[in-house]
Structure formats: C-alpha cells, structure tokens
C-alpha cells in the first residue's frame, strides 16, 4: 500500500524566526517605542492616554489575528492528514470517475448515460490531444459497454489515455454531450497542493471529490 503525505517538509533553519517569535520581538519593539514616546513627549502638550490605549489595542488585535491564522493552518493540515488516512482503504479498489481512462490493450468497461428522450446516441472517443479517434452507436437505454480500443477504421488503438463522451441526438441534432464514467484501479492516495487526490492506474491524478463510487 503506497500512501504518500506531501505535507511533510524539512524543518526551517534554526535562525529563521517563527510567527510567534516575530510577534514577541515586534511587541518588545513596540513597547520600547512607546516608552521613548512617553519620555520625549512635550510636557506642555502630552499625548492623550487614550491614544496609547488605542495603539496597544491595535497591536494586540494584529497579534491575535496572526495567531488565529497559524491555528487555522494547523487545523487544515490535520484535517488533510485525517482525510488521507481515511482514503488509505481506497488503494487497490476501483474508483468510478469521468477522468481520462488508461488503455493498455485490455477492454475497458464504460458507463454511458444517454438522455432518455434521445432518438439515438453515440460513444465518441478522444485521445490525449483531444482528437476524435473512434465513434460507435449506442443501443437505446444503453448500459455498461465493453470498449476494446478500436479506431474508426477498426485498427487497434495504441496504449494511452482516452476520454469518452456520449452524444445524444434528438430530431437530427446533437442536444447533449456528456462525459462517460468508467472504473479505474486506485494505486496511491496523497496530498497535492492541499487537496487529497487519488492516483489511478496509468498515472492520472484526480481529486478525491471527483470519485463518485468505489468497488472491490
């Protein structure tokens, strides 16, 4: 079982200040400046004490905001790790998705869903460049379809990733094009850019939220 957590990162150098240490240092600097201001104010026109209180309250507000942001970041990271642990059981299972399907010569089971009112419908196949490479009619009320990887001329298609759409035709016009779902084996789960993703056979990486079903 291959589970990777990209959240782990090398610890910052000891000399690099943390947010908390920066706040502490800035607060000391603020107090020093406030003390100097008190010592050097004009005795005949002293600064109102309310102004000092306002400055202190403003700094305290900034400090609390920084600490709150740190806490939210930590909670987000913990949530991602928890979600990743829950996804661990997905490895080795088959996930239902409309992401590009990896074809290596073995038939793929597709799940087209043409609209019910369509006069006819067709399964259209696109390669990795988005070029249409095959098209075949679908029977009315189509269920699962075993796609064997043949081009429009009947020649075997090469190994690679393919995208499938079902075109629904009504009164001679294409009224809807929908992505076709398929099942692909999950080989790995991990965190990428703060999002839990599943790696499918063939290397496709898709967000966990794009998976609509799992099966053994």
């Amino acid at each position: 079982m291959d589970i990777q957590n990209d959240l782990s990162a090398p610890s910052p150098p000891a000399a690099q200040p943390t947010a908390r240490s920066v706040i502490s240092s800035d607060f000391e600097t603020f107090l020093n400046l406030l003390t100097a201001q008190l010592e050097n104010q004009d005795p005949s026109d002293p600064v109102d004490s309310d102004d000092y209180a306002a400055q202190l309250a403003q700094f305290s507000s900034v400090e609390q905001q920084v600490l709150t942001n740190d806490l939210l970041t930590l909670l987000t990271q913990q949530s991602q790790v928890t979600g990743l642990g829950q996804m661990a059981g997905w490895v080795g299972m088959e996930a239902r998705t409309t992401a590009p399907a990896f074809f290596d010569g073995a038939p793929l089971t597709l799940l087209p869903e043409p609209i019910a009112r369509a006069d006819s419908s067709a399964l259209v196949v696109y390669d990795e460049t988005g070029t249409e490479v095959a098209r075949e009619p679908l029977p009315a009320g189509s269920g699962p379809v075993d796609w064997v990887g043949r081009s429009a001329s009947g020649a075997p298609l090469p190994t690679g990733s393919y995208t499938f759409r079902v075109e629904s035709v009504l009164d001679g016009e294409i009224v809807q094009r929908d992505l076709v779902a398929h099942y692909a084996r999950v080989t790995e789960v991990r965190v990428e850019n703060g999002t839990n993703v599943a790696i499918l056979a063939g290397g496709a990486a898709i967000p966990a939220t794009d998976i609509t079903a799992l099966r053994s």
Side-chain angles (χ1 to χ4, degrees):
M1 184 178 297
D2 185 4
I3 305 172
Q4 176 182 346
N5 179 4
D6 289 342
L7 287 176
S8 58
S11 300
Q16 182 176 344
T18 64
R20 186 178 295 276
S21 65
V22 169
I23 290 175
S24 177
S25 175
D26 287 348
F27 188 65
E28 291 178 2
T29 301
F30 171 78
L31 291 179
N32 289 334
L33 291 174
L34 187 61
T35 301
Q37 186 177 2
L38 287 170
E39 292 176 345
N40 295 282
Q41 65 180 329
D42 185 353
S44 62
D45 185 21
V47 177
D48 194 314
S49 60
D50 289 343
D51 292 339
Y52 293 118
Q55 293 178 39
L56 186 57
Q58 184 177 15
F59 185 89
S60 179
S61 176
V62 172
E63 177 186 21
Q64 291 301 318
Q65 184 63 52
V66 172
L67 294 177
T68 299
N69 291 342
D70 288 347
L71 178 59
L72 289 175
T73 299
L74 178 60
L75 291 175
T76 299
Q77 292 174 342
Q78 291 176 341
S79 175
Q80 290 168 351
V81 172
T82 300
L84 195 66
Q86 294 173 343
M87 289 174 59
W90 294 15
V91 177
M93 300 185 71
E94 291 187 329
R96 178 170 174 162
T97 176
T98 56
F102 181 72
F103 174 70
D104 60 0
L108 295 175
T109 299
L110 308 178
L111 306 165
E113 296 181 352
I115 61 176
R117 70 179 191 277
D119 296 330
S120 63
S121 56
L123 176 69
V124 187
V125 185
Y126 303 88
D127 64 13
E128 296 178 8
T129 67
T131 302
E132 181 179 322
V133 294
R135 175 184 290 265
E136 58 187 71
L138 291 172
S142 179
V145 172
D146 288 330
W147 183 71
V148 296
R150 298 283 178 176
S151 68
S153 64
L157 289 169
T159 296
S161 294
Y162 295 88
T163 300
F164 305 90
R165 290 184 180 273
V166 56
E167 287 186 353
S168 299
V169 178
L170 181 64
D171 296 331
E173 294 185 0
I174 298 173
V175 293
Q176 195 162 311
R177 291 184 175 90
D178 296 309
L179 286 169
V180 175
H182 65 95
Y183 280 95
R185 186 170 59 88
V186 178
T187 61
E188 179 185 355
V189 292
R190 65 188 183 208
V191 175
E192 288 186 354
N193 299 321
T195 301
N196 291 337
V197 302
I199 310 301
L200 306 180
I206 62 172
T209 51
D210 287 354
I211 294 175
T212 56
L214 289 166
R215 70 183 186 185
S216 300

